[in-house]
Amino acid sequence: MRNEILTAFSDYCRDYEKSDRFYNSSRLSKLIYYVQEIILDNESLYIIIRPRIATQEAYRLLEDLTIEPVSAEELLDLRDRLVNRFHPQEGDILEVDFQPFYDYSPVIRDPKNIGKGVAFLNRYLSSKLFQDPRQWQDALFNFLRLHRYNGYQLLINERIQTQQQLSDRIKAALGYLSDRPADQPYESFRFDLQDLGFEPGWGNTASRVRDTLEILDQLIDPPDHQALESYISRIPMIFRIALISPHGWFGQEGVLGRPDTGGQVVYILDQVKSLEKQLQEDIELAGLDVLNIHPKVIVLSRLIPNSDGTLCNQRLEKIHGTLDAWILRVPFREFNPNLTQNWISRFEIWPYLETFAIDAEKELRAEFGGKPDLIVGNYSDGNLVAFLLARRLKVTQCNIAHALEKSKYLFSNLYWQDLEDKYHFSLQFTADLIAMNAANFIISSTYQEIVGTPESIGQYESYKRFTMPELYHVINGIELFSPKFNVVPPGVNENVFFPYTRPEERLLESRDRLEDLLFTLDDPVQVYGTLDDPGKRPIFSMARLDRIKNLTGLAECFGKSKELQERCNLILVAGKLRTEESTDHEEISEIEKLYRIIDEYELQGKVRWLGVRLPKGDSGEIYRIIADHQGIFVQPALFEAFGLTILESMVTGLPTFATRFGGPLEIIQDKVNGFYINPTLLDEMASIILEFVSKCDQNPSYWEEISKQAIDRVYSTYTWKIHTTRLLSLAKIYGFWNYTSQENREDILRYIESLFHLLFKPRAQALLAEHMRR
């Protein structure tokens, strides 16, 4: 692999005393920089090169140094041979190839524009449609006539029968509005506009209605793609949104820190509140309050009958701080009550999703009084259910991955058979291929989530070409240059996570209680370890105890560094203290490992481990208390798709050290508002933290400088207002283009259905049969 290749080349240059020029700028060094993988097979050497982002090439180097290109099919066959050398595959294997379905779709040319899909799509399709003014005007006119809400006609009525009439009436309406006060309420002239053919939806004041009509007037002749995006974003098209998140313990209290329950729950609940607020604001701006229209947002999750003290056994739960947003929980059918009555791991959930989608459709229709206008899937299981629902309801589908497991577990596709009992990756990766290709648009939190960096492959990029030996070959799993990809990072809940420098907003009672919990409370039920010197600078981390989050790696880094132990304490908030409290095999393994590390490095008196599940409000205050003590936050994950805890710690003012593998590379600007660490290099990680601590000791204002820069970074770039405004704009624009271009997606959807029924479903049924035997 790449890291091993770079290390071997470095060792070679050192051992043979090669010059710096040879090491840094020779042709061989440049080639080695781009090599991702080397495979030795008998007498041939296979070299996989990534000459630029989102592109891979493979070559065979023969004994006489001649070079031959290697096709995707040959490379995948080679991988299969190496994995199954004792059980070689006989005959052909199923090949999955989505490329033909993207051949007739527009694709982005420049890799730097990947993730800016809607801007590209808007320019591309506008230019095509604008070439025929008559076709363009008819398409726009017919689209405007579509919009209704609960039987109410919106925008234009039957008094406007043609696009020419529309153009004439716009000018008449602008003349009528020209001498009216800018802030005159829409309801005072509503019926005059109705006589001209205009129904509610244009604006809530004379100036807003006038602005909207003027943008439309510009669009009719001559059209402009920027005006089009501005206008489509104003059209009242979305009132009901369903967000799908089946796995885990989805609730508002008492769930964080449980298996499969963390950042995704926080993300969705914050997103819901912001979405409802933005929808209500858009409805009011459009003047639709005269029709008493209100938005409704539903998070669809799984009902867990044995809810372990949570509210996950309640069908409906109102989301705090909202007017009409709910968690709707639908149970899995009782195939085997021993399992379906209880929590089921996200790796085992697959057999229940199709019937869950069928049952959920009825429940959603009942709650919405119709169908949603937008379906947003979350994670692999939620995205698969979103596909099944969107296909049945004919609704725009948006996908949010949060994390794609394939890039988190090295060689997880190659050795899927060895991992199948625990992880069932054959189902998960097939579900990912289905959902990402079916989605109308995909939201990622970062650019590198899609196509990585010059040094590393992106999460979606890892689905481009791969093999699952004896199951299938993916020749082309996703078009990375498709305009369906859009980077829209999340925000933080600013009511909970705010700077430590705002004492007037902090609750004294919570602060005293949490200060005691963090540093001094003697409670063996909740806390393991006492601190010999609570006054040392705290190194703090908070995450679930699973392998990827790597809290044990941070503990080992601390254990290996005597200097860190002399100057700092390590404080971990990590869910559970005892193995008997968990049913998750990874969590049990990490609990045992953490105890071993504490004993091996004799960290008693230097480490404090809190086995608690904190309400969200307490989480915000805990960051601020650590900041009061001029501590730091370390996020040592082996891979992090985005990193909400990084935003949370930064906005509270904590200097933050985060993994260089994944999303944090785009959140943090190294040594400006935070620091990168490599969680696989423990000595290097310790030295980076020590360098910061030393600088702070020499110059106390350095801590405050990094703290302020971290706060500024979040407020300038990562707010829910920015996120939800963009998300709703994307949903409207993709909805518009799906309608006006009449893109025929039926062929790709039929292909996807074939994969679902012929690949996914039989494996899901086999897993269900196994569950029935338990």
Side-chain angles (χ1 to χ4, degrees):
M1 299 303 291
R2 185 173 188 272
N3 281 345
E4 297 167 310
I5 294 163
L6 292 174
T7 301
F9 182 62
S10 175
D11 292 346
Y12 166 80
C13 291
R14 184 196 63 230
D15 295 346
Y16 288 86
E17 298 179 353
K18 295 291 185 181
S19 67
D20 286 347
R21 185 193 159 281
F22 180 86
Y23 178 63
N24 291 309
S25 52
S26 66
R27 290 187 176 181
L28 181 60
S29 71
K30 288 176 183 174
L31 171 65
I32 286 196
Y33 177 81
Y34 292 109
V35 175
Q36 295 295 306
E37 212 176 327
I38 293 174
I39 301 172
L40 186 61
D41 178 44
N42 298 327
E43 302 305 319
S44 296
L45 197 70
Y46 291 81
I47 302 174
I48 293 88
I49 295 173
R50 189 166 173 259
R52 58 195 166 277
I53 276 173
T55 305
Q56 278 201 8
E57 299 166 3
Y59 298 92
R60 182 189 296 109
L61 180 63
L62 303 176
E63 270 192 320
D64 61 358
L65 296 187
T66 56
I67 295 172
E68 299 173 351
V70 175
S71 70
E73 290 83 354
E74 284 180 277
L75 182 61
L76 298 182
D77 282 339
L78 168 67
R79 294 189 191 284
D80 286 1
R81 256 199 340 272
L82 289 171
V83 170
N84 292 333
R85 61 174 70 247
F86 302 113
H87 307 284
Q89 172 85 30
E90 291 190 339
D92 290 335
I93 190 168
L94 173 67
E95 292 184 345
V96 178
D97 187 0
F98 280 95
Q99 188 55 51
F101 302 106
Y102 289 99
D103 284 344
Y104 56 79
S105 300
V107 290
I108 293 165
R109 299 292 172 203
D110 191 336
K112 74 172 182 291
N113 291 325
I114 291 172
K116 302 173 184 174
V118 78
F120 170 84
L121 185 72
N122 213 29
R123 281 195 305 273
Y124 176 85
L125 292 177
S126 299
S127 65
K128 284 188 71 175
L129 201 50
F130 294 167
Q131 287 169 12
D132 183 343
R134 182 75 191 183
Q135 183 194 2
W136 156 243
Q137 289 164 5
D138 284 345
L140 183 60
F141 173 65
N142 290 328
F143 185 69
L144 292 176
R145 298 169 78 185
L146 283 180
H147 301 292
R148 290 178 176 78
Y149 179 84
N150 281 3
Y152 291 114
Q153 179 65 42
L154 306 179
L155 297 175
I156 60 176
N157 59 36
E158 71 283 350
R159 291 186 177 91
I160 300 176
Q161 290 291 323
T162 65
Q163 58 85 14
Q164 185 55 53
Q165 265 189 317
L166 173 64
S167 182
D168 295 341
R169 295 291 172 85
I170 288 170
K171 290 175 172 55
L174 286 170
Y176 169 81
L177 292 166
S178 60
D179 57 356
R180 294 191 170 269
D183 59 354
Q184 184 175 348
Y186 166 70
E187 57 192 334
S188 67
F189 54 84
R190 170 187 173 185
F191 297 109
D192 293 333
L193 285 187
Q194 201 173 49
D195 288 340
L196 286 171
F198 297 102
E199 293 293 334
W202 298 94
N204 61 337
T205 63
S207 65
R208 179 80 180 180
V209 175
R210 190 164 55 237
D211 288 349
T212 308
L213 287 168
E214 282 174 349
I215 296 170
L216 182 57
D217 195 34
Q218 289 172 29
L219 268 179
I220 290 174
D221 191 31
D224 169 75
H225 73 267
Q226 288 173 320
L228 177 62
E229 182 168 348
S230 175
Y231 178 68
I232 297 298
S233 297
R234 289 188 176 213
I235 292 181
M237 295 163 56
I238 298 174
F239 308 101
R240 307 179 183 101
I241 300 178
L243 298 104
I244 319 298
S245 182
H247 78 259
W249 301 82
F250 200 100
Q252 299 179 85
E253 283 125 20
V255 298
L256 294 183
R258 290 172 181 266
D260 294 347
T261 308
Q264 182 172 318
V265 173
V266 174
Y267 178 111
I268 294 170
L269 288 173
D270 287 347
Q271 185 188 50
V272 164
K273 292 170 190 173
S274 186
L275 273 172
E276 188 197 51
K277 191 175 177 183
Q278 190 60 50
L279 285 170
Q280 189 60 50
E281 188 180 307
D282 291 351
I283 285 167
E284 288 169 8
L285 278 173
L288 292 179
D289 44 354
V290 300
L291 299 177
N292 201 30
I293 291 176
H294 299 287
K296 185 162 189 152
V297 183
I298 290 176
V299 180
L300 173 67
S301 192
R302 181 202 161 202
L303 187 144
I304 306 174
N306 294 337
S307 61
D308 192 25
T310 71
L311 297 180
C312 294
N313 61 346
Q314 288 191 8
R315 178 180 175 273
L316 271 179
E317 182 185 348
K318 178 90 174 290
I319 293 175
H320 306 324
T322 66
L323 295 172
D324 199 6
W326 304 81
I327 301 169
L328 170 65
R329 300 188 184 93
V330 175
F332 287 166
R333 292 188 190 173
E334 287 193 359
F335 295 99
N336 176 355
N338 290 332
L339 266 80
T340 52
Q341 294 282 307
N342 300 301
W343 166 83
I344 299 174
S345 161
R346 71 186 189 275
F347 296 117
E348 301 271 342
I349 205 170
W350 307 105
Y352 310 100
L353 295 181
E354 185 180 16
T355 50
F356 176 78
I358 292 166
D359 298 341
E361 181 190 350
K362 298 171 195 164
E363 301 278 353
L364 284 172
R365 282 185 181 273
E367 290 302 317
F368 281 127
K371 63 183 186 179
D373 304 305
L374 173 66
I375 293 175
V376 181
N378 290 273
Y379 192 73
S380 300
D381 55 341
N383 287 325
L384 183 70
V385 173
F387 155 67
L388 295 170
L389 285 168
R391 181 72 168 136
R392 292 166 68 94
L393 294 169
K394 295 184 169 41
V395 172
T396 300
Q397 176 194 347
C398 166
N399 278 13
I400 302 176
H402 296 286
L404 291 162
E405 301 287 349
K406 187 170 175 297
S407 47
K408 286 163 65 173
Y409 293 84
L410 187 64
F411 294 134
S412 50
N413 58 289
L414 267 182
Y415 296 98
W416 70 272
Q417 287 145 307
D418 300 337
L419 301 166
E420 192 71 354
D421 285 350
K422 278 187 180 178
Y423 295 111
H424 305 288
F425 285 141
S426 66
L427 283 158
Q428 182 151 13
F429 299 165
T430 306
D432 287 333
L433 286 170
I434 287 168
M436 66 178 64
N437 284 286
N440 296 100
F441 67 104
I442 295 172
I443 281 180
S444 72
S445 297
T446 61
Y447 172 85
Q448 64 170 326
E449 189 179 322
I450 310 168
V451 286
T453 68
E455 292 82 26
S456 62
I457 290 171
Q459 290 187 64
Y460 284 97
E461 188 179 357
S462 73
Y463 285 79
K464 180 79 174 172
R465 183 173 298 129
F466 66 95
T467 173
M468 300 194 80
E470 298 184 4
L471 185 62
Y472 55 71
H473 285 173
V474 175
I475 303 300
N476 203 313
I478 184 67
E479 176 50 78
L480 298 166
F481 289 82
S482 166
K484 71 166 61 181
F485 286 105
N486 293 273
V487 176
V488 186
V492 286
N493 184 332
E494 294 171 43
N495 297 320
V496 173
F497 301 100
F498 55 84
Y500 78 104
T501 50
R502 295 186 194 164
E504 69 284 353
E505 296 176 44
R506 297 173 65 175
L507 297 173
L508 267 176
E509 185 183 324
S510 295
R511 183 163 59 180
D512 293 343
R513 172 176 55 82
L514 293 170
E515 177 109 18
D516 190 28
L517 176 66
L518 280 167
F519 295 100
T520 55
L521 180 70
D522 183 12
D523 180 356
V525 175
Q526 294 189 89
V527 182
Y528 176 81
T530 56
L531 299 177
D532 293 342
D533 181 1
K536 287 182 185 175
R537 192 186 299 273
I539 297 171
F540 176 65
S541 194
M542 178 161 55
R544 295 188 313 277
L545 268 172
D546 64 28
R547 190 183 71 82
I548 292 295
K549 294 300 181 187
N550 193 38
L551 288 188
T552 51
L554 174 58
E556 190 167 4
C557 165
F558 184 74
K560 284 187 163 191
S561 173
K562 293 294 183 188
E563 200 174 346
L564 267 185
Q565 293 169 42
E566 286 167 13
R567 301 168 76 172
C568 303
N569 289 317
L570 178 62
I571 301 175
L572 305 174
V573 175
K576 292 186 175 74
L577 295 179
R578 284 166 281 279
T579 55
E580 60 268 22
E581 294 171 353
S582 178
T583 55
D584 183 88
H585 62 86
E586 241 185 52
E587 186 175 42
I588 290 167
S589 172
E590 290 295 294
I591 290 171
E592 292 169 344
K593 186 177 178 183
L594 190 48
Y595 281 120
R596 279 200 309 274
I597 289 167
I598 292 170
D599 289 341
E600 180 184 345
Y601 294 100
E602 299 177 350
L603 297 177
Q604 289 80 4
K606 302 165 186 174
V607 169
R608 197 160 160 84
W609 170 8
L610 279 60
V612 293
R613 296 193 190 104
L614 294 170
K616 190 189 284 187
D618 283 359
S619 299
E621 190 55 32
I622 272 185
Y623 288 123
R624 288 187 285 272
I625 290 167
I626 298 294
D628 291 336
H629 290 257
Q630 295 230 318
I632 64 170
F633 178 78
V634 180
Q635 202 271 28
L638 298 174
F639 178 83
E640 184 59 69
F642 181 67
L644 268 178
T645 54
I646 293 163
L647 291 187
E648 292 167 0
S649 66
M650 287 174 72
V651 81
T652 56
L654 263 183
T656 298
F657 295 71
T659 180
R660 60 170 58 249
F661 301 125
L665 279 181
E666 289 177 45
I667 300 173
I668 288 173
Q669 294 154 317
D670 192 33
K671 299 177 184 172
V672 176
N673 45 42
F675 302 87
Y676 300 148
I677 53 171
N678 183 334
T680 65
L681 302 176
L682 301 185
D683 293 342
E684 180 188 284
M685 180 158 65
S687 70
I688 290 170
I689 296 170
L690 273 170
E691 183 183 357
F692 173 78
V693 170
S694 299
K695 280 188 177 179
C696 292
D697 290 344
Q698 293 160 13
N699 174 16
S701 66
Y702 183 61
W703 187 96
E704 289 166 5
E705 179 188 320
I706 297 294
S707 171
K708 183 179 182 305
Q709 296 276 20
I711 294 166
D712 292 346
R713 173 68 172 165
V714 176
Y715 280 133
S716 68
T717 314
Y718 299 101
T719 70
W720 281 113
K721 171 76 174 170
I722 297 169
H723 173 94
T724 48
T725 302
R726 192 67 184 142
L727 170 57
L728 293 173
S729 175
L730 289 171
K732 291 176 180 181
I733 293 164
Y734 281 94
F736 172 74
W737 284 119
N738 283 344
Y739 171 79
T740 53
S741 63
Q742 297 298 314
E743 182 188 0
N744 182 11
R745 298 181 73 239
E746 194 61 25
D747 50 2
I748 191 171
L749 290 171
R750 288 293 187 191
Y751 184 68
I752 288 167
E753 282 181 336
S754 298
L755 294 183
F756 177 80
H757 288 288
L758 301 176
L759 267 180
F760 178 90
K761 200 167 173 177
R763 299 198 70 81
Q765 288 169 337
L767 180 55
L768 180 61
E770 182 194 314
H771 284 188
M772 295 293 281
R773 291 191 292 271
R774 290 186 188 175

